[in-house]
Amino acid sequence: RNKVVNSSTFGIAIGGAQTAGLKVTELFPNAALGNGPSDANLVYTNLVGTIDGTTSQPNSLGGIALMENAHDNVIGGYSNDKANIISGNTNPASNEGYGVFIGLPPGSTSTNYPARNIVIRNRIGVRETDDNALPNNFGVYIKKGQNNFIGTANGPNGNIIGNNTLVGIYLN
């Protein structure tokens, strides 16, 4: 299991020009995804913003970011064993601290919005083993994305999103 903690930006960044921030403490320190289209990635079974599922070790801007040109990615999976624990990403100095951010970075004039991404069966803002609080500032924040899904319309494929300090799901 990967542990993604203590980055100065986002823990995992997919798409756009994000070139820093992925810190997987046991596998690839200081690696990053980005610099162009990022399609059909699977991100599952990670601890993001927590070192052990119960203790916060935040990423400064947030846990997982799907940004410019990020399309058809799946965060989580269609079975409970694929869940990410995306919790503990708070930034007391600002209102940042997203569990999952889908959108364009601030100041971007691009029209290459992230699209058709799915956030499914994750634990966001809660601990791994129970529903006690391990908050992000925002659970899921979508800004200028198109046709992105939080959960699915059919079956038991929702996320557990709770206890986040500002908003659970924010659509902008």
Side-chain angles (χ1 to χ4, degrees):
R1 178 176 255 190
N2 299 320
K3 297 175 185 174
V4 186
V5 297
N6 287 337
S7 100
S8 62
T9 59
F10 287 101
I12 299 173
I14 299 174
Q18 180 72 27
T19 58
L22 177 63
K23 182 176 182 185
V24 181
T25 58
E26 294 182 342
L27 297 177
F28 311 110
N30 301 313
L33 299 171
N35 289 329
S38 294
D39 297 339
N41 294 293
L42 303 174
V43 179
Y44 60 90
T45 322
N46 295 288
L47 296 172
V48 183
T50 174
I51 197 70
D52 59 7
T54 61
T55 306
S56 175
Q57 211 164 1
N59 298 291
S60 183
L61 291 181
I64 298 174
L66 299 170
M67 295 192 289
E68 185 177 5
N69 289 316
H71 304 118
D72 304 303
N73 297 289
V74 178
I75 307 301
Y78 289 94
S79 62
N80 287 335
D81 64 334
K82 301 287 188 221
N84 295 292
I85 311 306
I86 308 168
S87 298
N89 295 290
T90 58
N91 187 339
S94 71
N95 284 337
E96 294 161 335
Y98 308 102
V100 177
F101 175 87
I102 301 173
L104 299 177
S108 174
T109 58
S110 174
T111 57
N112 296 318
Y113 303 117
R116 301 176 311 276
N117 297 292
I118 300 172
V119 179
I120 188 170
R121 284 201 178 186
N122 296 287
R123 298 181 62 79
I124 302 172
V126 297
R127 297 183 344 174
E128 181 173 20
T129 56
D130 56 42
D131 293 341
N132 288 329
L134 188 59
N136 304 290
N137 284 350
F138 291 90
V140 178
Y141 188 104
I142 298 179
K143 181 178 182 178
K144 295 186 179 179
Q146 298 174 335
N147 300 312
N148 295 292
F149 297 91
I150 303 167
T152 64
N154 300 316
N157 293 317
N159 299 280
I160 296 173
I161 302 172
N163 305 312
N164 295 287
T165 58
L166 296 175
V167 178
I169 299 172
Y170 187 85
L171 305 175
N172 182 353

